[in-house]
Structure formats: structure tokens, C-alpha cells
């Protein structure tokens, strides 16, 4: 059979495109090297019956009415606002840095107004914000940067804050109030029955067929198709013609404990202690009731499955060279976190996929 579209990758970008194209009466084959749907957002019950995210904690948040309404066709939701603590010298602090963090870290009792002037005193004013170091120093100064950002960033990226684009640290706001939510988006929810259920619904269409455990580069000749959508790493598509684009990888160490709770927040960040960056306890995110609990520790590394693009000037200019090749392609489209080399959240990937779908339909 000649498919209208072959889609490589069954994560949010590939699955949303598959659905939209199928709705427009196109025949779609979607493939993935992994033996499951959902890409990095995949979730599954572990052997103790606890719903876990094998590829690290995924919390859905968006400001877009359109994207929230779109996904709501395929899942019901559970209201959930993520809260994170960061451990420094055996004490836990709310992160993003807010009024409580400042009062507890400096042993003060400032109010909102006073903390604004306090930030003015400790921040190191930068006229131009170019790097993540500029972002952090400009908002909270050196001491808090060293306590909460520099070590975490080194662990996560193996780079200093000054070697990363501003966009990385800008993901974490600084607040003068007591808001201790990790995200401030309008919609903050978890899919009620999990991400894999959402994907099952998204891909449940008679014009979509799925092949799992299939690598595009090993089996591209087996498929006959008019158009190709590729959501994997873009440098690999071009056989690393201009050199390797750095992607950061992770090792996830999952553990189960026979006790109802492991830690006092859903996620605890460890900016300066241990080799892992953070520990997440899944039940605290999913709301599942169980007498035991499962956690994951994340260790960052340079090799292995690609999870994060590494945003800085050098990598962005290398990516642009690949992008130029991609733009010249006919009937081949690149979308998603790996193919567009963008530090996208799930909602942004859905947005990018919907935009491409509109163009193609
Ligand atoms: P992916 O989900 O990576 O899907 C790409 C798929 O393509 C993969 O399944 C891969 O196996 C397949 N593929 C690649 N090459 C080939 C090939 N040659 N042949 C066949 N298949 C191939 N976002 C949030 O909004 N909230 C969060 O809390 C959040 N937490 C995160 C935590 C971690 C640890 C990570 C790594 C990411 C997190 N994200 C989060 C981001 C989120 O995972 C991504 O935005 C989203 O999953 C990207 O979707 P995608 O389709 O672009 O890519
Ligand atoms: N970051 C940090 N300390 C923290 C939290 C975040 O230094 O306690 C920095 C770090 O560089 C991290 C980036 O901000 O990689 C983005 O953090 P986020 O939690 O958004 O990362 P993700 O969930 O995408 O891994």
C-alpha cells in the first residue's frame, strides 16, 4: 500500500499529525523504534502497579485555550499543580525562588514590597541578557545562583550557566509573592488515565496504522509513501553531514518503596549534592492511591537516547545548517523537539504539530 504519509516517531508531534492527517482523509503509517506509543511522554504501571513515567516526570501545562481544548478531545483531566523543593545544605527551599525562599534562606521576614527592594540589592544588573548566567545573576545575584542554579546546570548540561542561551534558565521565574507552583500557566492538569491512554485515543482512527519496534533508517525502503514526516534527531536524518548536534541524554533510576510516601514534595531538586539532579515521586503527581510508592532519580549524560537539545549559539548555528537542508526537501517535513532542535514542552510540540497539520491539509 502507498501511504499518503509516513510518520517517523510516535510522540506528541507524530501522533497529533497522524490524527489531523487522518481526519483530513489521508492514509497514515506511523512508526517508532520503541515498542510503545507516546514517545517520551509514555507512561505505564510498574511491576508494583504504580503508574510511572519511564522517561522522567511529565506534567502538562499550557496557556493556550486552543491546545487545551484540542487535547481534551482525547482525555479527561485531573487538576494538578506541580510543586518543587530544592535541597541546599540539608534544608529544603521552595523553587522557583519566591518570598518564602528568600525569608527562609536569609532568615528574614520580609513582605512582598520589601522583597522587591531586597532583590534590587542582591541582583547583579545586566544590560544585555544573553546567557542563562545573565538571567540568574540579573534576577537573584551570585549567592542564590550558586545555591540553586550553577551546580544543577553543570550537572544537567555539563556546561556553565554562561555557556547556555538565556532561554534555559528563563524557564524558571523569580517571584516576589508566596506562589510556590513550579508553573504559572492557565491550565495545569494531568491526563486522568495517563498519557498512554491519551495517545491510544489520539491514534484510534481507521486511517492510522502503527508499526512499533521499527527504525526508519533500517526500514525506509519497506514502506511506500508520498510524504514523510520526521520527528527524530535532525542530524541523524542527514547522516551527521555537518557533524553531530549535541543532545543531552539521561539515565533514569526507578525505585519502589514499601511505604506510602517517600518525600515531602512531588519533586526535590539537588543543585549541589549527589550526581542526580532531582527525585520525583510519581503518586504525588498522578494522585494514585497505593500503599507503596515509586520514585525516579535522573542522571544526565552526553551519550544515549537524545532527550534535550542543548541551546547555545554554537549549536543553534549548526542546527541552522541542517535546517537549510530540511527546507530544500520536497514532501518531507521536520517537526518536534528533536527534529526542530527546540527545548519544547509538550504543549508547544502539540502547537507545532497542529500548525504543520494546517499547512498540509
Ligand atoms: P519524542 O517524544 O521524543 O518522540 C520522538 C519519537 O521518535 C521517539 O519515540 C523516538 O523513539 C522516535 N524516533 C526517533 N528516531 C526514530 C527512527 N529513526 N525511527 C523510528 N522512530 C524514531 N514537557 C512538558 O510539557 N512537561 C514536562 O513536565 C516535561 N517533562 C520532561 C521531562 C523529561 C525528562 C524530558 C526528557 C522531557 C520532558 N518534557 C516535558 C518534554 C516532552 O517530553 C517533549 O516536549 C515531548 O515529548 C516531545 O515530543 P516529540 O514528539 O517532539 O518527541
Ligand atoms: N534549573 C536550575 N535549578 C533548579 C531548576 C532548574 O539550575 O532548581 C535550571 C537548569 O539549568 C535546568 C533549567 O533551569 O536544566 C530548566 O529547568 P526545568 O525544570 O525546566 O528542566 P526540565 O524539567 O526541562 O528538565
Amino acid at each position: 500500500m502507498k501511504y499518503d504519509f509516513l510518520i517517523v516517531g510516535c510522540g506528541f508531534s507524530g501522533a497529533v499529525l497522524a490524527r489531523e492527517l487522518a481526519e483530513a482523509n489521508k492514509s497514515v503509517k506511523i512508526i517508532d523504534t520503541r515498542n510503545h506509543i507516546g514517545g517520551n511522554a509514555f507512561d505505564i504501571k510498574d511491576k508494583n502497579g504504580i503508574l510511572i513515567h519511564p522517561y522522567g516526570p511529565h506534567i502538562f501545562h499550557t496557556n493556550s485555550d486552543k491546545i487545551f481544548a484540542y487535547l481534551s478531545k482525547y482525555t479527561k483531566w485531573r487538576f494538578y499543580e506541580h510543586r518543587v523543593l530544592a535541597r541546599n545544605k540539608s534544608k529544603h527551599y521552595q523553587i522557583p525562588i519566591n518570598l518564602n525562599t528568600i525569608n527562609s534562606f536569609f532568615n528574614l521576614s520580609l513582605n512582598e514590597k520589601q522583597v522587591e527592594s531586597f532583590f534590587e540589592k542582591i541582583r547583579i544588573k545586566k544590560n544585555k541578557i544573553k546567557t542563562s548566567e545573565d538571567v540568574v545573576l540579573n534576577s537573584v545575584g551570585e549567592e542564590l545562583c550558586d545555591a540553586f542554579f550553577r551546580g544543577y546546570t553543570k550537572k544537567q548540561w555539563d556546561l556553565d550557566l554562561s555557556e547556555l542561551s538565556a532561554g534555559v534558565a528563563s524557564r524558571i521565574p523569580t517571584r516576589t509573592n508566596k506562589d510556590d507552583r513550579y508553573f504559572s500557566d492557565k491550565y495545569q492538569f494531568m491526563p486522568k488515565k495517563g498519557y498512554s491512554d491519551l495517545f491510544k485515543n489520539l491514534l484510534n482512527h481507521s486511517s492510522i496504522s502503527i508499526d512499533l519496534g521499527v527504525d526508519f533508517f533500517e526500514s525506509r525502503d519497506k514502506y511506500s509513501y508520498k510524504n514523510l514526516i520526521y520527528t527524530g534527531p535532525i542530524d541523524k536524518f542527514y547522516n551527521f553531514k555537518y557533524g553531530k548536534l549535541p543532545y543531552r541524554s539521561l539515565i533514569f533510576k526507578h525505585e519502589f518503596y514499601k511505604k506510602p510516601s517517600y518525600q515531602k514534595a512531588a519533586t526535590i531538586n539537588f543543585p549541589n549534592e549527589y550526581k542526580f539532579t532531582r527525585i520525583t515521586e510519581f503518586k504525588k503527581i498522578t494522585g494514585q492511591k497505593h500503599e507503596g510508592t515509586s520514585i525516579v532519580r535522573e542522571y544526565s549524560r552526553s551519550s544515549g537516547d537524545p532527550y534535550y537539545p542543548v541551546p547555545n549559539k554554537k549549536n543553534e548555528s549548526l542546527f541552522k545548517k541542517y535546517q537549510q537542508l530540511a527546507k530544500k526537501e520536497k514532501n518531507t517535513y521536520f517537526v518536534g523537539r528533536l527534529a526542530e532542535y527546540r527545548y519544547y514542552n509538550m504543549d508547544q510540540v502539540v502547537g507545532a504539530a497542529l500548525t504543520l497539520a494546517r499547512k498540509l491539509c
Side-chain angles (χ1 to χ4, degrees):
M1 163 162 182
K2 188 164 190 168
Y3 297 100
D4 291 320
F5 282 86
L6 175 68
I7 301 183
V8 180
C10 213
F12 265 110
S13 50
V16 166
L17 270 152
R19 182 64 186 224
E20 289 308 285
L21 293 165
E23 294 287 344
N25 294 320
K26 309 287 182 198
S27 57
V28 178
K29 169 66 80 182
I30 183 164
I31 63 171
D32 205 300
T33 31
R34 292 167 169 168
N35 60 8
H36 59 72
I37 57 175
N40 286 338
F42 169 68
D43 56 11
I44 189 169
K45 283 197 169 161
D46 65 13
K47 64 178 194 288
N48 299 293
I50 296 180
L51 187 66
I52 62 160
H53 301 170
Y55 305 103
H58 280 70
I59 297 107
F60 184 79
H61 55 102
T62 189
N63 281 316
S64 163
D65 298 336
K66 194 181 114 195
I67 290 166
F68 187 68
Y70 178 78
L71 290 177
S72 301
K73 293 195 278 184
Y74 305 106
T75 185
K76 290 199 164 64
W77 301 99
R78 167 181 181 265
F79 177 70
Y80 172 70
E81 291 178 321
H82 195 46
R83 286 181 169 79
V84 175
L85 296 174
R87 199 171 100 155
N88 184 272
K89 295 184 180 154
S90 306
K91 262 188 92 175
H92 291 93
Y93 299 93
Q94 293 177 354
I95 207 92
I97 292 175
N98 65 15
L99 178 57
N100 291 332
T101 318
I102 296 297
N103 282 335
S104 145
F105 189 84
F106 293 103
N107 204 13
L108 296 168
S109 45
L110 305 177
N111 60 30
E112 281 193 35
K113 196 89 208 127
Q114 291 165 325
V115 85
E116 279 174 29
S117 351
F118 185 78
F119 278 132
E120 280 308 314
K121 264 191 253 156
I122 60 172
R123 67 191 278 253
I124 299 169
K125 229 181 205 157
K126 300 276 168 186
N127 290 329
K128 280 204 177 123
I129 306 284
K130 285 189 180 156
T131 69
S132 277
E133 182 182 53
D134 297 335
V135 171
V136 179
L137 293 180
N138 186 59
S139 45
V140 298
E142 198 74 59
E143 190 172 356
L144 291 169
C145 177
D146 287 347
F148 296 112
F149 290 91
R150 208 179 288 282
Y152 188 107
T153 300
K154 179 71 185 161
K155 260 196 266 183
Q156 171 72 6
W157 303 95
D158 197 22
L159 291 173
D160 185 66
L161 276 166
S162 59
E163 298 171 288
L164 283 164
S165 300
V168 176
S170 305
R171 292 168 63 88
I172 317 297
T174 304
R175 302 193 179 116
T176 51
N177 59 19
K178 292 184 178 175
D179 184 356
D180 65 340
R181 297 170 308 158
Y182 204 60
F183 308 111
S184 341
D185 301 54
K186 179 170 174 187
Y187 301 102
Q188 304 192 35
F189 290 93
M190 292 296 290
K192 199 159 196 168
K193 291 187 180 171
Y195 290 99
S196 295
D197 180 76
L198 184 163
F199 276 92
K200 217 172 75 203
N201 298 334
L202 195 54
L203 292 165
N204 182 15
H205 191 288
S206 56
S207 297
I208 302 175
S209 63
I210 309 171
D211 288 352
L212 296 174
V214 173
D215 186 337
F216 170 67
F217 299 106
E218 283 164 18
S219 42
R220 61 202 300 177
D221 299 335
K222 287 190 206 143
Y223 295 102
S224 171
Y225 51 90
K226 294 182 197 155
N227 299 280
L228 176 70
I229 292 174
Y230 178 80
T231 76
I234 190 166
D235 56 345
K236 185 154 186 213
F237 188 88
Y238 290 109
N239 204 16
F240 312 106
K241 183 182 162 106
Y242 298 128
K244 273 197 160 192
L245 263 173
Y247 291 90
R248 210 67 198 146
S249 188
L250 294 171
I251 296 178
F252 302 100
K253 290 204 174 147
H254 290 269
E255 277 176 10
F256 171 77
Y257 289 87
K258 282 187 185 160
K259 54 182 180 182
S261 170
Y262 178 80
Q263 58 186 22
K264 54 185 177 184
T267 296
I268 299 192
N269 288 353
F270 295 84
N272 295 315
E273 294 163 87
Y274 307 112
K275 289 193 171 154
F276 47 85
T277 51
R278 58 187 177 191
I279 300 181
T280 298
E281 186 175 0
F282 291 105
K283 273 193 342 181
K284 292 200 163 60
I285 294 176
T286 60
Q288 189 183 353
K289 301 275 175 271
H290 197 290
E291 67 263 22
T293 194
S294 293
I295 61 149
V296 65
R297 290 184 172 80
E298 294 173 51
Y299 297 80
S300 172
R301 58 175 181 167
S302 57
S303 59
D305 276 356
Y307 292 121
Y308 292 83
V310 183
N312 64 25
K313 265 208 165 137
K314 186 168 158 232
N315 301 341
E316 275 146 33
S317 65
L318 177 55
F319 167 67
K320 284 222 162 74
K321 288 171 84 174
Y322 284 112
Q323 198 183 30
Q324 285 313 315
L325 293 179
K327 276 184 184 158
K328 286 188 200 133
E329 299 281 354
K330 287 216 164 66
N331 307 323
T332 299
Y333 308 91
F334 296 80
V335 65
R337 178 147 147 148
L338 305 173
E340 294 183 76
Y341 206 68
R342 295 222 183 127
Y343 196 168
Y344 275 147
N345 292 323
M346 292 180 281
D347 63 322
Q348 296 169 307
V349 168
V350 172
L354 289 175
T355 303
L356 177 58
R358 224 175 12 249
K359 199 172 119 191
L360 297 176
C361 300

